Amino acid sequence: MKFKTAIATVLLLLSGGCTVVGVGTASAIGGTYYVTGEIRASYPVSIYHLYRVTLYTFKVENIKVISVSNTKDDADIMGELDDGEKVSIHIYYDKEEQGTLGIRIGSIGDERRSRALLKKMERYI
């Protein structure tokens, strides 16, 4: 066990923290993680349900829907916040056949705002 801890510490020091912290966050929050500017979370529901939840949350939060595209395997919903910031939602099945949401706010991703939107969406899941 000490060996694994040592490796994790070395990786943390060498990587600058982004990837390793994202993995640590995933285990701490239970399936929710932030990677490459996007917050991701999986739920034991269909992607159709997550699609409806996303559109409903956009309506409740006054997020303007810019575009919607969907297939039986995934969906992409683009929106715009009141301040002009873009919201990108990607919904798909993960390897455990759970519906997964990917949320990015802004071009490079705003973790705080993405997590806040996810928390609002979870009220309806």
Side-chain angles (χ1 to χ4, degrees):
M1 192 60 158
K2 290 180 183 180
F3 182 71
K4 289 181 183 178
T5 305
I7 289 175
T9 303
V10 170
L11 286 174
L12 180 63
L13 293 173
L14 293 176
S15 71
C18 254
T19 305
V20 176
V21 171
V23 172
T25 304
S27 61
I29 298 176
T32 301
Y33 56 98
Y34 188 80
V35 62
T36 62
E38 183 179 76
I39 183 108
R40 294 183 190 156
S42 297
Y43 305 94
V45 297
S46 72
I47 59 174
Y48 179 69
H49 180 74
L50 293 176
Y51 175 80
R52 291 185 316 185
V53 164
T54 300
L55 291 177
Y56 183 75
T57 304
F58 273 36
K59 181 179 177 182
V60 169
E61 297 298 320
N62 295 318
I63 300 171
K64 179 181 174 185
V65 175
I66 295 174
S67 69
V68 176
S69 65
N70 58 13
T71 69
K72 66 178 186 169
D73 297 323
D74 69 345
D76 289 300
I77 302 169
M78 301 295 291
E80 186 176 320
L81 298 171
D82 290 338
D83 63 0
E85 201 68 74
K86 301 289 185 221
V87 178
S88 174
I89 308 285
H90 182 68
I91 304 167
Y92 59 96
Y93 279 114
D94 65 16
K95 62 187 174 199
E96 282 88 34
E97 293 298 316
Q98 297 184 71
T100 299
L101 281 170
I103 302 171
R104 177 190 306 265
I105 295 181
S107 58
I108 61 171
D110 182 329
E111 183 176 6
R112 183 185 57 77
R113 292 178 81 183
S114 297
R115 284 190 187 279
L117 180 58
L118 177 64
K119 192 167 192 79
K120 291 173 183 176
M121 292 175 77
E122 285 179 335
R123 291 185 285 188
Y124 309 114
I125 297 174

